[in-house]
Amino acid sequence: MAVSEESSRVRVAVLASGSGTNLQALIDRFHTAESEVEVVCVLSNRPDAGALRRAEANGIRGVCLPGSSPEEQDAALDELLGACGADLVVLAGYLRLVPPSIVREYRGRIVNIHPALLPAFGGAGMYGRHVQEAVLQRGARVTGATAHFVDAEYDQGPIILQWPVPVLDGDTPESLAARVLAVEHRLLPEAVEAVATGRVTLQPDRTCRWNGPRAQLNTFILSMES
Ligand code: GRF
């Protein structure tokens, strides 16, 4: 991935509305001396988002999007992404639709984490607790997490990585969400690094192409199994 001139690292902007544990997983993975990737700003639509506190605690610029209407906040989002020189945008529990102009501008450079195995349990209304409630109601025996490129349709962008999580007897939305979240924390940094380093690219026909040796991907898959 071509990086901005300000730094030789790939600059990542994270958009988050919640507690920010996925953000933390990215920080823990990338904030090392040898990392090729760096989280440079955290943007949120909620002033009380734990993600903003985590940004501050880690010396990362954190901004609550100003403006009282969704349109004002979208305009601010566009401006802030430009101002922080973001090469890559990561949606880590961002509970708002990203405007189509930004999705277009960052095509192939915008990644989302979803707490189910897409295309199951995705789309409008499938966020937060609603996802795990729907999984349990439907009687699914397997769910999981999906990291995917974002494109114009909600939760329908090309899949980068997925990992399954069994649904256990007696699971509640909370117990299931906790097991899925632990998988998200491993999947998201791996997917972001793969995009940032060009190991996976989005093709014009909306497929993902893995470049170079598959060995690294296989190593990751085997590490998930252990
Ligand atoms: C995660 O389950 C993510 O998949 C979903 O929102 C949750 C965010 O959790 N979109 P956190 O804020 O990263 O802790």
Side-chain angles (χ1 to χ4, degrees), residues 16-23 92-95 112-115 128 181 184-185:
S17 306
S19 66
T21 61
N22 276 296
L23 164 68
Y94 186 59
L95 300 183
N112 182 45
I113 182 79
H114 184 77
L181 193 60
E184 292 177 48
H185 294 162

Side-chain angles (χ1 to χ4, degrees), residues 55-72:
E56 192 184 353
N58 286 279
I60 297 167
R61 184 177 183 206
V63 180
C64 178
L65 296 170
S68 46
S69 69
E71 292 74 23
E72 282 174 327

